[in-house]
Amino acid sequence: MSDHDHHDHDHSELSEMELRVRALETVLSEKGYVDPAALDAIVQAYETRIGPHNGARVVAKAWVDADFRRALLDDATKAVGTLGHVSRVGDHLVAVENTPQRHNMVVCTLCSCYPWEMLGLPPVWYKAAPYRSRAVKDPRGVLADFGVSLPKETEIRVWDSTAETRFLVLPMRPAGTEGWSEDKLAELVTRDSMIGTGFPKPPGAPS
Amino acid sequence: MNGVHDMGGMDGFGKVVAEPNEPMFHTRWEGRVLAMVRAMGAAGAFNIDTSRSAARLSRELLLQEMDARPRGHADRQGLRPER
């Protein structure tokens, strides 16, 4: 575990929040609502199985498989379902494709709606006020905060997520990757490139 | 409807600061809370509307929190489930 857990070794230094959460877990577990082992499994799933590598697989497949790409843009919920991803009830996934003319960027101005199954939990900046407030008003400025700039002619579309509709950006395939396998391509797909605040890694970049 | 949650277009929150190599959970309790929320949701203890309602901190508290927390670490209260 990371050094974020160092407080665990010194009970006198447990934060108020840590104490509250422990108390809550104890109560729920004693009442038989939750099994601490099941909680361990859920935490582990979010740390390993659920994350941007799922979205990267979808993007890489869309880059090499024209039929899948069409299906993804037509109905992303259905298309990713064919790969075995099961969405949370009620979620509708929409894939938006970047082109040289149009760049897509995703935000949740109200809170933190995000395609969990594809990207895992949202990063702190996605949930924080600066991104949520500014993405819809000054997307180029926000991209500059990420060190990203686009040609002036490129149109930027910003998609505001809701509890029911989540967006996945289909970034442009990097040049120089002709003939690459899906697995190799997937390694170039970054989380931020699927939110629209970054680009995929160029081939040959250190991973 | 507008309110403090509806941040689209508001000015004055400053630059977006991304944390390099951000961990999935910053502290142990964040993971435990997420797991409890998922487990209790799966057990049918509440539905998404209940959680939305519970998620709405009072306006004053929300504004206070935003003000108090360092940049890039906002929204770490964790007891607000993602919607």
Side-chain angles (χ1 to χ4, degrees):
Chain A
M1 295 297 282
S2 68
D3 58 2
H4 291 287
D5 291 313
H6 69 281
H7 283 310
D8 283 0
H9 304 302
D10 185 348
H11 286 229
S12 64
E13 283 188 32
L14 279 182
S15 69
E16 192 194 321
M17 185 61 86
E18 195 74 49
L19 290 170
R20 277 172 68 183
V21 171
R22 282 183 181 214
L24 188 60
E25 184 175 333
T26 305
V27 169
L28 293 180
S29 149
E30 279 173 2
K31 283 181 180 282
Y33 286 115
V34 300
D35 172 358
L39 300 184
D40 292 342
I42 295 172
V43 169
Q44 205 195 7
Y46 276 95
E47 283 176 332
T48 56
R49 202 160 45 74
I50 306 168
H53 55 276
N54 293 319
R57 270 185 58 218
V58 169
V59 167
K61 189 171 178 60
W63 282 345
V64 299
D65 180 340
D67 288 339
F68 180 75
R69 179 182 148 273
R70 266 190 299 274
L72 182 71
L73 295 173
D74 184 46
D75 184 343
T77 311
K78 209 159 117 187
V80 302
T82 64
L83 301 181
H85 294 290
V86 182
S87 177
R88 292 176 70 199
V89 179
D91 288 0
H92 183 60
L93 184 68
V94 175
V96 288
E97 185 181 36
N98 286 350
T99 66
Q101 290 76 38
R102 180 185 296 164
H103 181 86
N104 295 284
M105 212 170 121
V106 181
V107 65
C108 176
T109 58
L110 279 174
C111 50
S112 52
C113 297
Y114 191 72
W116 286 26
E117 281 69 21
M118 295 290 101
L119 301 183
L121 297 178
V124 167
W125 60 258
Y126 185 87
K127 302 181 273 185
Y131 185 73
R132 287 164 51 195
S133 60
R134 228 163 104 235
V136 289
K137 193 178 193 178
D138 177 23
R140 280 180 199 276
V142 167
L143 289 175
D145 291 348
F146 284 91
V148 169
S149 68
L150 290 166
K152 245 194 243 140
E153 316 76 75
T154 305
E155 177 198 359
I156 301 179
R157 284 213 177 167
V158 181
W159 302 84
D160 199 354
S161 314
T162 68
E164 282 74 32
T165 306
R166 318 286 169 113
F167 299 93
L168 180 77
V169 174
L170 176 55
M172 286 191 286
R173 179 171 174 166
T177 58
E178 293 73 20
W180 281 35
S181 69
E182 269 181 54
D183 285 350
K184 208 168 155 197
L185 285 167
E187 286 172 20
L188 301 180
V189 184
T190 62
R191 178 196 67 199
D192 288 4
S193 74
M194 295 181 277
I195 304 175
T197 55
F199 301 123
K201 287 182 267 190
S207 51
Chain B
M1 174 194 143
N2 62 26
V4 291
H5 305 90
D6 195 357
M7 293 189 161
M10 282 169 86
D11 289 324
F13 286 109
K15 280 170 83 91
V16 179
V17 181
E19 181 184 345
N21 303 312
E22 185 180 332
M24 187 58 78
F25 304 111
H26 292 78
T27 56
R28 186 177 180 279
W29 68 259
E30 288 188 348
R32 301 315 280 180
V33 169
L34 175 79
M36 283 190 271
V37 169
R38 297 317 298 261
M40 294 300 283
F46 62 89
N47 62 30
I48 191 157
D49 296 319
T50 323
S51 90
R52 279 175 197 164
S53 168
R56 296 218 155 81
L57 293 167
S58 81
R59 283 165 175 70
E60 291 73 18
L61 181 58
L62 186 71
L63 290 169
Q64 216 179 328
E65 291 252 319
M66 275 172 188
D67 219 31
R69 279 172 296 182
R71 284 269 175 255
H73 288 267
D75 291 274
R76 285 265 302 277
Q77 76 274 21
L79 289 172
R80 190 183 74 166
E82 266 79 0
R83 302 198 298 166

